[in-house]
Amino acid sequence: MESLTYEDYRLNILTNELKYQDHTVKLTPTEGTILKIFFLNAGKLVTKQQLMQNIWQGGSFIEDSVLNVNMSRLREKLDQVNLRGRLVTERGRGYRLVTADES
């Protein structure tokens, strides 16, 4: 599996490039992993704990602030392809990638 599709968006999981129409956004490996998790769980709640376990699988402890910084940077890049508003925070619970109808 080289790419994942969500609506009109395509994420190349090998190069961490997100394509939408004629726009391409280059993501860091961490941002690519985060977005991959959301594409695979579109419409479902993804908790911070789930994200942290999937991204930083090593035994070291990662603080919430590290995830928050990565989420903020990812949202800035998603803004370039009109996807930012679709990644919503459910306060105290986690995040969810919503469909166009829900946003």
Side-chain angles (χ1 to χ4, degrees):
M1 171 174 56
E2 184 177 305
S3 65
L4 295 172
T5 303
Y6 172 72
E7 296 181 1
D8 294 331
Y9 299 88
R10 186 168 45 98
L11 174 64
N12 184 315
I13 59 175
L14 301 177
T15 63
N16 294 310
E17 291 180 332
L18 176 64
K19 295 188 181 217
Y20 174 70
Q21 296 175 347
D22 60 345
H23 301 288
T24 300
V25 176
K26 180 70 175 156
L27 306 174
T28 67
T30 301
E31 293 164 348
T33 300
I34 292 170
L35 194 55
K36 174 184 171 184
I37 293 166
F38 285 115
F39 272 33
L40 290 172
N41 295 283
K44 299 176 187 170
L45 178 72
V46 179
T47 67
K48 284 187 172 188
Q49 186 67 24
Q50 288 172 312
L51 285 170
M52 292 170 72
Q53 286 174 346
N54 282 290
I55 299 164
W56 297 285
Q57 298 168 356
S60 61
F61 176 76
I62 301 296
E63 293 185 24
D64 280 359
S65 61
V66 174
L67 177 61
N68 293 340
V69 167
N70 279 279
M71 289 297 295
S72 177
R73 290 180 181 159
L74 176 60
R75 282 185 163 133
E76 287 176 12
K77 291 181 180 180
L78 294 180
D79 200 29
Q80 298 173 34
V81 291
N82 301 319
L83 192 58
R84 179 182 186 150
R86 308 270 294 283
L87 187 55
V88 298
T89 301
E90 294 194 14
R91 193 162 179 82
R93 298 181 62 202
Y95 306 93
R96 194 162 55 95
L97 181 62
V98 298
T99 64
D101 295 338
E102 294 177 283
S103 60

